[in-house]
Amino acid sequence: MSAATLDHVGLCTDRAETLWAEYERLGFTLTPVARQSGPRRPSAAPERLATGNRCAMLRQGYVELLGILEPGLFDNGIGGFVARYRGLHILAFGVEQAEAELPRLRRAGFDIAGVAPLQRPVDDAAPEGPLARFARLPMPDAPEGRLQLIEHLTPELLWQERWMRHPNHAVALEAAVLVSADPAESAARLSRLTGAVLEPDPVGGFALPLPQGRMRILPEAALAAVLPGVAVPALPFIAGFVLRTDDDNAAARRILAGLETREAPEGGLMVPPALAGGAALVFRP
């Protein structure tokens, strides 16, 4: 069984319209608003959740922009994440068959009751239309946020050509950066979840190379070497992510002209958290 891929990262907020507008300003074509539903427990009936999202679908991976749209409903833990800080709280790793991963995860010491299904309409404006469906294996009580394996049951509904053409020419989710007070502990947890083998990160801490994408698990002291100027609101903290473009960043530089961006130390153009929903975003050629 091969290691999981970096499927998507997710930003969480209680100000969804603001978050979505920020990402459109950064040159992303977003999917329509989609409200989520799912069971509270593996054996329970699905129910409408407080949350809904829009996504920036890429040719490799995607970015989820998840908001609390109806606070009175069950929010599946997203409210607790937002109370810590608005920003990245979701790291999802793609697998081919979620059910087949359960024995391995239980041998690794994870107390996972079973597959957690999730579904949402492709477009809230067409509720009778097709439903995007997912099979998830969330790691219970992970201090880093929502760490999960995910199987896409309807990938053709999400990766549609009309949603993968971005004015900024972003095409792939390349990496995510996690800052931890104990990088070894966080890295070991992610290694056990994904089945990937750790290696040292050049700036300190650990890296987790995946068949698609890369995780970096860094001590706070190393963050400035990768994402300078980013303040840490709480630890652990998913500080930022890297997207590859297919035009040497030409379109991103044009779209972001006039905004307070900076050159990333390892190459590329960095958008600070204040302009990207609480997470640093690096466009890399």
Side-chain angles (χ1 to χ4, degrees):
M1 190 175 296
S2 62
T5 63
L6 182 57
D7 183 84
H8 70 273
V9 296
L11 293 101
C12 302
T13 187
D14 54 353
R15 301 174 181 174
E17 294 288 350
T18 299
L19 178 62
W20 297 336
E22 286 176 340
Y23 273 73
E24 289 177 324
R25 172 64 183 88
L26 297 177
F28 291 98
T29 300
L30 302 182
T31 58
V33 177
R35 290 291 304 268
Q36 297 176 323
S37 60
R40 299 194 187 200
R41 300 172 302 280
S43 58
E47 61 183 279
R48 184 178 173 91
L49 302 179
T51 52
N53 69 16
R54 299 182 73 187
C55 297
M57 302 304 303
L58 306 167
R59 299 193 182 276
Q60 174 183 304
Y62 65 101
V63 181
E64 180 182 17
L65 308 174
L66 182 65
I68 298 173
L69 305 184
E70 198 169 344
L73 300 182
F74 177 60
D75 67 15
N76 199 24
I78 301 304
F81 292 153
V82 174
R84 289 188 67 227
Y85 61 84
R86 296 184 184 96
L88 280 172
H89 288 283
I90 299 171
L91 296 172
F93 302 93
V95 294
E96 292 184 359
Q97 293 183 312
E99 188 78 37
E101 299 288 336
L102 269 172
R104 177 184 67 81
L105 294 176
R106 287 168 177 163
R107 288 194 301 271
F110 294 129
D111 182 19
I112 298 177
V115 173
L118 185 72
Q119 64 184 30
R120 58 177 173 80
V122 174
D123 184 349
D124 262 14
E128 302 305 317
L131 291 176
R133 296 183 296 108
F134 314 86
R136 301 180 304 117
L137 292 170
M139 183 184 296
D141 303 319
E144 295 82 6
R146 177 138 304 148
L147 310 182
Q148 62 184 359
L149 300 184
I150 185 168
E151 175 190 355
H152 287 275
L153 303 176
T154 55
E156 71 285 354
L157 297 180
L158 297 185
W159 277 276
Q160 295 189 37
E161 185 64 31
R162 56 180 169 155
W163 295 327
M164 294 189 290
R165 294 191 294 265
H166 302 285
N168 59 30
H169 280 241
V171 294
L173 172 61
E174 286 212 325
V177 179
L178 169 67
V179 182
S180 175
D182 190 338
E185 180 183 335
S186 293
R189 195 169 8 257
L190 283 161
S191 178
R192 288 159 57 209
L193 176 67
T194 61
V197 178
L198 292 166
E199 62 184 31
D201 192 279
V203 302
F206 302 88
L208 196 66
L210 303 166
Q212 174 180 302
R214 184 179 185 86
M215 275 300 308
R216 302 178 73 175
I217 306 98
L218 308 179
E220 186 174 357
L223 180 60
V226 178
L227 301 173
V230 175
V232 176
L235 290 175
F237 172 49
I238 307 172
F241 60 105
V242 178
L243 301 183
R244 187 175 77 249
T245 64
D246 66 359
D247 69 340
D248 201 31
N249 272 5
R253 290 186 181 278
R254 183 175 64 253
I255 290 169
L256 302 178
L259 298 181
E260 293 186 8
T261 59
R262 65 191 304 171
E263 298 301 314
E266 298 175 325
L269 185 65
M270 189 186 101
V271 181
L275 301 179
L281 164 56
V282 176
F283 291 98
R284 184 168 293 165

